[in-house]
Amino acid sequence: MSVNGMIEFIAALLILVGSIMAVISAIGIIRFQDVYSRSHAATKSSTLAVSLTLSGVFIYLLVSESFFSVRMIMGIVFVLLTSPVAGHLIIRAAYRSGVEMTDATLEDELAEVLKKKEKQMEEEKASKDTGVKSDEVLE
């Protein structure tokens, strides 16, 4: 087996692993109970699946066709940067709109953080209305 054959095998393996991760992502979307878990399955594993698949295609094209695809690299970087951020924003919007968590959820860590932030914003608003700095309100 030549070096090109081995690299093509590695590229095919990356594409196969990416396809398996996509199937796992789809199963997670179907099986999980609430929007938070489903979004986790959709963003994390599908990001990995798309990245592996595109990496395999990039390597295959580079070795077998001697074609260096800048678009492929840009696609990989774009998916890696935007998919987790989009998933985070969607979940944040769902949480703030009051979508309930499943009964299996043990702890809601974000509720405490949002309450502190809300209290801080109210104090800042009150200090602006009275003309007193927030440090002076605490004393």
Side-chain angles (χ1 to χ4, degrees):
M1 185 178 250
S2 68
V3 174
N4 282 348
M6 290 176 66
I7 294 175
E8 286 178 3
F9 176 75
I10 291 171
L13 190 64
L14 285 173
I15 295 170
L16 178 67
V17 171
S19 302
I20 291 170
M21 288 302 298
V23 170
I24 291 171
S25 177
I27 291 170
I29 292 170
I30 293 170
R31 296 276 301 163
F32 286 144
Q33 298 171 355
D34 61 351
V35 69
Y36 306 105
S37 301
R38 288 179 180 167
S39 177
H40 179 77
T43 56
K44 304 295 187 247
S45 58
S46 65
T47 300
L48 181 62
V50 171
S51 299
L52 286 173
T53 304
L54 289 178
S55 298
V57 170
F58 175 76
I59 291 171
Y60 178 78
L61 288 175
L62 185 63
V63 171
S64 67
E65 305 292 327
S66 298
F67 180 69
F68 184 83
S69 177
V70 176
R71 288 183 184 177
M72 196 72 66
I73 293 174
M74 288 174 55
I76 294 167
V77 170
F78 181 76
V79 167
L80 286 174
L81 291 177
T82 59
S83 182
V85 174
H88 176 78
L89 291 176
I90 290 169
I91 291 303
R92 186 81 155 202
Y95 185 85
R96 291 212 174 196
S97 66
V99 176
E100 292 186 19
M101 295 181 186
T102 183
D103 294 334
T105 304
L106 300 176
E107 187 175 352
D108 184 7
E109 295 175 357
L110 189 57
E112 298 170 16
V113 174
L114 288 178
K115 285 180 186 177
K116 287 180 186 177
K117 188 72 171 174
E118 196 172 290
K119 183 178 178 183
Q120 181 183 10
M121 289 176 65
E122 288 176 4
E123 289 175 357
E124 288 177 4
K125 184 179 178 188
S127 67
K128 285 181 183 178
D129 291 343
T130 60
V132 178
K133 294 181 181 177
S134 69
D135 295 336
E136 295 173 1
V137 171
L138 297 175
E139 294 176 354

